[in-house]
Amino acid sequence: MPVRLSLPLAGLTAAATLLGSVAYAAGELNLYSSRHYDTDERLYSDFEEATGITVNRIEGNADELIARMEAEGANSPADVFLTVDTVRLARAKDLGLLQSVDSPILEGRIPAYLQDDDNQWFGFSQRARILFYDKTDVENPPATYQDLAKPEYEGMVCIRSSTNVYTQNIVAALIEHLGEEAVTDWAKAVVGNFARAPQGGDTDQLRGIASGECDIAMSNTYYYARATRKGDSTMSEEDLANIGWVFPNQNSIGAHMNISGGGVAANAPNRDNAVKFLEYLSSVQAQEYFSAGNDEYPAVPGVGLSPSVAALGIFRPDVIDLSAIGDNVDAAQRVLTAAGWE
């Protein structure tokens, strides 16, 4: 049976002891993952069935997992690090926790802009970070991210905090497109348009629209798609029907994309199995499941979308090189601090 652990950093010693008996065995893969979706069980079981490789999972917060890999050093049992944002993938690379991978399969299937420049990590699924609005109150919703700064939206905007990686990602991307000075001015104006202090997750921003606390919100698409597919106990079908959406910047840079991605750990004891796992994540089977199981967009072009995702419509994505976002994280934090973005 595969080993599955979900432990805080304090459990490092016990986890390392438990994994010590399996980390170097043939046919094993030790996966450090911050993806917290039960639907991913299918991804792992299908890989195990196809390859005979047993997946042992260590699950937790991405920052905790990065800290564990640092603490474990050269003796780390980690083979693959899997997480849900560019910022933490870039951080893992900068800390020397990942290694370059030479794989014609990954090179050929994953678009270049969704790969690290040194092939230390790859994006395997995407979420568009777009604007949602109350159709009953907002006649002219913002068409671009820049529009969120317009005075006409004063007191209307709900958004996540400056410490959230999704916020850091979008600001880092805008810096790459517009420059730090322009984005600082933008961020200050957006703060002036807040309906409330930043709080909660993406679903909480959508609930803010449903409750009438705000009229405009920023969220990743899969939260809304999942709510329409599975329902939400705090939002009725009518609430969801009254929420409209805009894919921003369709005449310029395109809609910002967040990713879920991963890389091979620097000291992977089962390196070949780790590469096989990443290659499997780029397969049509796995890519279709990212969409069907978790309402995400596949990273591989041409893979079909689930109905909940397809219903959002066709749009132009921002194809910024994700390595540039990683390079701009420090600048994004400066911008958010200067703007007083809590």
Side-chain angles (χ1 to χ4, degrees):
M1 292 293 290
V3 178
R4 180 181 181 183
L5 300 177
S6 182
L7 300 173
L9 184 58
L12 172 61
T13 301
T17 300
L18 177 58
L19 278 175
S21 62
V22 298
Y24 303 99
E28 304 280 347
L29 172 76
N30 300 318
L31 172 65
Y32 281 33
S33 175
S34 68
R35 280 181 64 93
H36 53 271
Y37 316 111
D38 290 339
T39 51
D40 282 357
E41 296 284 347
R42 175 73 178 275
L43 287 171
Y44 309 134
S45 63
D46 284 355
F47 174 74
E48 290 178 325
E49 182 177 348
T51 64
I53 297 170
T54 300
V55 178
N56 304 308
R57 279 175 286 158
I58 302 296
E59 298 180 340
N61 175 279
D63 293 329
E64 292 175 348
L65 293 175
I66 288 173
R68 288 177 65 152
M69 292 171 70
E70 279 193 282
E72 291 166 342
N75 295 319
S76 176
D79 291 310
V80 170
F81 175 57
L82 193 65
T83 190
V84 291
D85 64 88
T86 308
V87 170
R88 290 191 174 105
L89 287 168
R91 185 182 305 162
K93 176 188 175 181
D94 290 343
L95 291 170
L97 301 178
L98 303 177
Q99 61 175 281
S100 298
V101 171
D102 182 12
S103 166
I105 292 175
L106 292 171
E107 284 283 318
R109 295 186 62 79
I110 304 297
Y113 70 93
L114 296 178
Q115 302 179 28
D116 170 58
D117 289 343
D118 299 313
N119 287 356
Q120 291 201 14
W121 52 260
F122 300 82
F124 295 106
S125 64
Q126 304 180 83
R127 308 91 176 268
R129 191 149 191 81
I130 68 173
L131 304 178
F132 293 87
Y133 66 96
D134 188 335
K135 293 192 290 189
T136 64
D137 289 340
V138 182
E139 293 184 5
N140 298 301
T144 68
Y145 298 110
Q146 294 95 313
D147 285 349
L148 288 177
K150 287 185 174 180
E152 65 192 84
Y153 301 125
E154 182 179 1
M156 300 173 69
V157 177
C158 283
I159 204 163
R160 294 184 72 159
S161 72
S162 62
T163 59
N164 176 254
V165 290
Y166 293 149
T167 300
Q168 295 168 9
N169 272 328
I170 181 66
V171 173
L174 290 175
I175 289 171
E176 184 68 16
H177 289 300
L178 306 173
E180 186 171 341
E181 183 177 354
V183 177
T184 300
D185 292 340
W186 169 84
K188 289 177 179 178
V190 172
V191 169
N193 287 342
F194 283 173
R196 64 184 184 193
Q199 58 186 265
D202 276 15
T203 301
D204 295 305
Q205 313 314 313
L206 299 174
R207 290 168 179 163
I209 295 177
S211 68
E213 190 171 5
C214 51
D215 294 303
I216 299 167
M218 186 184 292
S219 173
N220 283 344
T221 44
Y222 81 115
Y223 291 97
Y224 180 81
R226 182 173 59 192
T228 58
R229 177 172 62 89
K230 299 178 65 175
D232 186 294
S233 61
T234 65
M235 291 186 285
S236 66
E237 290 186 12
E238 182 179 1
D239 288 334
L240 290 170
N242 285 334
I243 296 177
W245 61 89
V246 173
F247 287 96
N249 297 78
Q250 293 301 280
N251 295 320
S252 56
I253 61 177
H256 177 69
M257 306 298 289
N258 285 312
I259 66 161
S260 178
V264 176
N267 300 294
N270 303 296
R271 186 184 188 281
D272 290 347
N273 292 347
V275 174
K276 287 179 183 178
F277 181 72
L278 295 188
E279 291 175 342
Y280 160 75
L281 293 182
S282 74
S283 69
V284 171
Q285 178 181 356
Q287 289 289 300
E288 287 180 342
Y289 198 71
F290 278 120
S291 187
N294 202 47
D295 307 284
E296 298 174 88
Y297 291 96
V300 175
V303 175
L305 302 178
S306 69
S308 62
V309 178
L312 295 172
I314 298 172
F315 66 99
R316 175 185 178 180
D318 185 358
V319 293
I320 183 175
D321 188 324
L322 295 188
S323 292
I325 292 179
D327 292 341
N328 286 336
V329 170
D330 289 344
Q333 291 173 333
R334 286 196 301 268
V335 164
L336 292 164
T337 299
W341 193 310
E342 296 180 12

